[in-house]
Amino acid sequence: MEEWVGLKWHDYVTRQAMGEFPEYAVHLKDEARTLGVLFRAMGGDPALSLVTAEPRHFQIRRKFLQKLAGTHRKFELAWRDEESLRLPDRLALFPSRKVNRDLYLWLAALASRGEIQIHNWLEGNQAMVQDVLAQWPGLEPMYQRLVKHTLQWRPKPESLSGEEARREQAIRQALIHPGSVTDLPEALTDPWPVVLWLYPVLGRGKLNGQVIGDDNTSSKPGGLAKKRKRRRAERVDAFDKDQGLMLFRLENLFSWSEFIPVDRAGDDSEEDDADAVADDMDMISVSQDRREASSAIKFDLDLPSEENDDLHLGPGIHLPEWDWRRQGYREKFCCLQPLLSKESVATPLPERLKRPAQSLRRQFSALKPLRQWERRQLDGEELDLDACLERAVQHKRGIGEMDQKLFRQCKQNQRDLACLVLADISLSTDTYINNHQRVIDIARDGLTLLSEALTASRDPFALFAFSSRRRDHVRFHHIKSFDEPYNDTSRGRIEALEPGYYTRMGAAIRQSIKLLQTRPEHQKILLLLTDGKPNDLDLYEGRYGVEDTRMAVQEAHRAGLTPFCVTIDEEANEYLPYVFGSSNYVVIKDPTQLPAQLPKLYLNLTR
């Protein structure tokens, strides 16, 4: 009973102290698509990901109720860097859902102007506000409405004293009349957060002598509005698992501080409330203590020994890679290794796929080359009786010059196209869908059914798969080349595909471009099947991997190819329009439908 009363009391005090309006809350996940379109339409960098902002620590002057509830120590504020735009996960500051949503729109518009640096936080934000309002004057009423509500949310200058009051008055002046304030008075505490402005990247300096958002951990851009928060961390010496101190008073609030030894490199257990616990901790201590490693042996994704690996087809192919920071290629930076499976055996069409394969063969057989007679030719296999009859009539009537095209010839009506299918078989394909079928199993069925369909249409096609482990080992699995027939051997190689390592997508695309360029067909299609973003161990993640893949896709366009991406990644709408273009990709919402949808997508792509 006492615990129940305590929890209810805690919830009540926290709600009163927060000063928010939960009934009017707006969530980033619901507005992410609109914000992404607005940000890019207003000139924002299209390569930036839209993700949730991490809480920043502030040392502001708090009221008694806020101290009692432990609130107003951390705030989620908007900021951007070279890889992502970060916005609060939830906005409920104002007693209007429309105004809270307007705040999201305003922050996206402001962020389209650029990144804020620590040395010009005050002047930079005012300048960007002026720039936005000058270029988009229609936003002026929305901005004034947001300023009015923001001033009501902020502390009143008369409730503060000394330099804090003068600083608050200066911030209010800068909000009402952007560009009118050049300096803020210094004070012992941090300024109350300005929710209408952008903040510098976490961990880059101080505002008015106070550390704002000190953070030493790294960040990866994630999916659309997906929480991937950075934590404040410190390195400590090795500690004993029995260390720790619990301080509490049953009749009052309690606090605790305890070391929890977690093997970061080896522990992969799932904790449902791990994120919540991490959010509540002000500092996460990290040590290099490995004394417990003997209790569970963990291996990194190491390469198999040569005798157990697939057959290497040659010494490897060196390929360039695009470095977007340098804005140039790194020549011969990647080594792509063609492989042929040693474990594959000739396999007939699986029983489960026979019925859909038969339906697809019947549908695609209508696309195969047909022999058609071409009439009115200067020479050919036989006379064109209609043309001869028409000439005889013209001769009888004495009509001028006679038509000499009196023959007909039988020719093949050939579809002039070739397709290379490139499948991503990275480690993520080992995950299960609906707890009964792996992604790699679905991909194998999709490749098999598409191959059956293309065989019926007689379109030349090739099949390859790829994964990677750093830049010096990009694995390029040979399944079927253009010159090979599709038979039980090819089916066996598809069935032998297993999840590999990581996803260095750019190198695999560049090798596929080389193979397609050798084909004589007029239309050449590069069909990529994947389940996630490009990534690898050696910095090939985030924007670096996305930019390299985008450059490889542009190389394919310049080579006269048609690159098209089919993915089951739920977050693909965030980055694929930037990489492939808005009309050159498709997201399969239900991964189990990939085998059935793949041939249909090919039909729509080649008609």
Side-chain angles (χ1 to χ4, degrees), residues 10 75 92 118 297 337-338 364 370 401 413 422 451 475-476 560 563:
H10 174 73
F75 295 85
I118 188 67
I297 300 176
Q337 180 60 63
F364 275 70
L370 300 176
E401 185 178 352
N413 183 20
L422 181 62
S451 300
R475 300 168 68 85
F476 198 71

Side-chain angles (χ1 to χ4, degrees), residues 33-34 96 149 194-195 253 304 390 471 537 542 562 572:
R33 184 178 296 275
T34 301
S96 168
H149 284 82
V194 185
V195 295
L253 300 177
E390 185 175 340
R471 65 183 179 88
L537 292 173
T562 303

Side-chain angles (χ1 to χ4, degrees), residues 307-339:
E307 60 270 17
N308 295 323
D309 199 4
D310 291 332
L311 179 64
H312 288 214
L313 303 178
I317 303 170
H318 288 89
L319 298 168
E321 187 167 277
W322 175 258
D323 188 338
W324 71 276
R325 294 184 180 90
R326 299 180 181 180
Q327 287 297 299
Y329 285 98
R330 294 184 173 187
E331 297 298 334
K332 297 183 179 179
F333 192 69
C334 298
C335 182
L336 181 138
Q337 180 60 63
L339 299 170

Side-chain angles (χ1 to χ4, degrees), residues 570-581:
E570 296 178 352
E571 302 169 2
N573 286 319
E574 180 208 354
Y575 60 90
L576 280 188
Y578 178 69
V579 176
F580 281 87

Side-chain angles (χ1 to χ4, degrees), residues 37-64:
V37 172
L38 175 67
F39 175 74
R40 292 167 176 84
M42 298 186 71
D45 190 342
L48 264 59
S49 304
L50 179 59
V51 295
T52 302
E54 299 85 355
R56 292 171 179 259
H57 289 257
F58 281 76
Q59 297 178 0
I60 62 175
R61 192 170 300 281
R62 297 183 292 165
K63 299 178 180 178
F64 172 75

Side-chain angles (χ1 to χ4, degrees), residues 480-515:
K480 176 194 173 301
S481 67
F482 285 106
D483 299 328
E484 290 179 294
Y486 177 72
N487 50 28
D488 289 350
T489 301
S490 304
R491 296 188 186 98
R493 292 172 184 168
I494 294 176
E495 292 299 316
L497 291 177
E498 288 294 337
Y501 302 93
Y502 299 93
T503 317
R504 208 174 199 96
M505 201 173 287
I509 291 177
R510 289 186 177 92
Q511 179 62 14
S512 301
I513 293 173
K514 288 185 176 181
L515 296 174

